[in-house]
Amino acid sequence: MSGLYGIALAGLGMLVLRDGAESGLSAAVMEQGLELRYRVGGEEFKPAGHGHTRKLKKLLQESGVVPWMRERLPLLYSGGRLVAVADLWIADDALARPGTAIDWRNRPALH
């Protein structure tokens, strides 16, 4: 995979994936493919730079994401595991430098 790719989100803008960025999703993650999902509750996630796995609900609350957008955030999965929460966080074990950046364009306000 190389270049610039977009995933249209019905009424929520577009996720743009850009190869060759300073940091982003690793080549191994990209090779496994990505699946777009939305929150159902109970998700756990370890963002890059954080010391331990946390409930996604708590991360969103602490980051000030408004309640009505928490269920609408695009979640990216690879190989059945959560690797990115929109363009907010990438999983610690999915991050690479360089990597494939995620940019959520024309998104609704989150805070």
Side-chain angles (χ1 to χ4, degrees), residues 38-58:
Y38 294 92
R39 276 193 69 219
V40 294
E43 295 90 354
E44 294 188 347
F45 189 67
K46 182 181 179 190
H50 289 236
H52 56 281
T53 300
R54 310 269 314 277
K55 291 283 186 187
L56 182 55
K57 176 181 178 177
K58 293 301 252 177

Side-chain angles (χ1 to χ4, degrees), residues 25-97:
L25 293 169
S26 71
V29 165
M30 296 304 293
E31 287 170 8
Q32 282 189 332
L34 296 176
E35 179 185 355
L36 176 68
R37 299 185 199 170
Y38 294 92
R39 276 193 69 219
V40 294
E43 295 90 354
E44 294 188 347
F45 189 67
K46 182 181 179 190
H50 289 236
H52 56 281
T53 300
R54 310 269 314 277
K55 291 283 186 187
L56 182 55
K57 176 181 178 177
K58 293 301 252 177
L59 285 168
L60 295 172
Q61 288 173 339
E62 290 170 5
S63 295
V65 174
V66 292
W68 55 90
M69 282 304 299
R70 294 177 194 162
E71 309 302 316
R72 301 178 78 197
L73 289 176
L75 306 179
L76 294 176
Y77 283 78
S78 181
R81 66 186 178 90
L82 180 57
V83 295
V85 177
D87 59 355
L88 302 176
W89 300 292
I90 292 178
D92 189 58
D93 60 354
L95 182 69
R97 289 182 172 84

